[in-house]
Amino acid sequence: MAKRKLDDREPEAGRPGPAAKAVLSIADAAGETRGVALVLHGGRADSYDPVRGRHLSPARMLPFARALNRQGGPHGLAVWTLRNRYRGWNGEDMSPVQDARWALSRIGQEHPGVPVYLLGHSMGGLTALCVADDPQVEVVVALAPWLNHKTPVQPVADRRVLIVHGTEDRWTSPSNSLDYARRADGVAASVEYVSLTGAGHFMFRRVALWNSLADDFILDAFGESTGADVSGATDALRSILPAAGTRMPVVL
């Protein structure tokens, strides 16, 4: 599949630190684009330092993007990976939310009307949940998201949501994620919460399970929305979550 970059999100005037641009790395689908996965990375509470490709937060999401491209690309799934301008959330600026909105607008320009699947880790998980109200978004997968009791659930109305959190996370709160999932239940089209026993924030432990849950959930939804035959890629998900939709949390 062809790969390309877009980086025309202009830096904001008057921001501290060096000027920075958001960058989209795009793995195009083979043939007609029938859906787009947008991958969002984590960051810090406060920082206007530019995000670099060598930073661990964006690098951590590359295996997810590559697997989605490998399994979904031949069936029409494009994978767009966003590198934010700044490393921080930055309070009321919500810098990564601005960047994700820009990325979604670019997807809308290139692929109007196709379903969009959001995948984010940590701050990227929070970002994904905040921008889920974009009209093309159908699915949100949030891995170890950075949430609190005030995180609004209305943006995920009528969306399918998967939240995965490790029990040993010391950076973001599993209990806040479970609280969010329970508040979103009845607002979202569906909510799944998976608790990974012994796993921490950075997804080093049980890495294969993190990847299977996230990518297969998106591929399963992509297949349902478009009729693409990705059943072989989602068999693992169906064995991992046999009781999906019947109880929360699922503990693995």
Side-chain angles (χ1 to χ4, degrees):
M1 273 61 77
K3 295 186 178 181
R4 54 196 171 93
K5 289 185 182 291
L6 296 175
D7 62 354
D8 60 352
R9 171 129 169 78
E10 294 297 332
E12 293 181 77
R15 290 293 174 217
K21 288 186 175 184
V23 177
L24 279 164
S25 298
I26 301 169
D28 288 318
E32 178 188 1
T33 296
R34 305 169 71 185
V36 177
L38 176 61
V39 181
L40 307 171
H41 64 79
R44 301 174 175 178
D46 297 290
S47 175
Y48 285 101
D49 290 340
V51 179
R52 306 297 186 193
R54 66 178 182 273
H55 289 155
L56 290 178
S57 291
R60 191 171 286 116
M61 301 309 293
L62 293 180
F64 294 91
R66 288 168 180 157
L68 284 170
N69 175 232
R70 182 177 65 254
Q71 296 176 288
H75 302 283
L77 181 68
V79 182
W80 293 41
T81 303
L82 174 64
R83 193 173 80 212
N84 295 330
R85 292 166 300 156
Y86 308 119
R87 302 187 76 178
W89 180 262
N90 300 323
E92 293 183 358
D93 277 359
M94 297 190 296
S95 300
V97 170
Q98 296 182 39
D99 294 340
R101 296 281 189 200
W102 165 75
L104 287 165
S105 72
R106 292 304 304 256
I107 292 171
Q109 291 169 23
E110 290 204 17
H111 306 293
V114 306
V116 173
Y117 312 93
L118 301 177
L119 168 60
H121 171 251
S122 191
M123 184 179 74
L126 170 59
T127 301
L129 293 166
C130 287
V131 302
D133 54 357
D134 182 275
Q136 288 185 229
V137 171
E138 292 191 357
V139 167
V140 181
V141 177
L143 307 176
W146 173 32
L147 309 177
N148 61 39
H149 68 282
K150 295 182 179 179
T151 305
V153 298
Q154 196 55 41
V156 299
D158 303 320
R159 278 38 173 181
R160 291 178 59 182
V161 178
L162 170 66
I163 299 173
V164 185
H165 220 127
T167 60
E168 301 304 309
D169 196 322
R170 299 294 180 262
W171 291 77
T172 58
S173 169
S175 61
N176 284 351
S177 285
L178 181 55
D179 171 72
Y180 178 94
R182 287 171 170 158
R183 288 190 290 117
D185 190 24
V187 176
S190 67
V191 183
E192 309 291 347
Y193 180 89
V194 177
S195 177
L196 292 188
T197 304
H201 185 69
F202 297 110
M203 304 185 292
F204 296 133
R205 295 192 64 186
R206 313 193 74 180
V207 62
L209 193 49
W210 287 100
N211 280 267
S212 291
L213 286 166
D215 291 340
D216 290 2
F217 192 84
I218 289 172
L219 290 167
D220 184 65
F222 171 65
E224 287 188 11
S225 293
T226 65
D229 183 11
V230 293
S231 56
T234 60
D235 288 344
L237 177 72
R238 298 183 187 281
S239 65
I240 291 169
L241 294 178
T246 64
R247 58 194 175 100
M248 193 162 53
V250 174
V251 180
L252 299 177

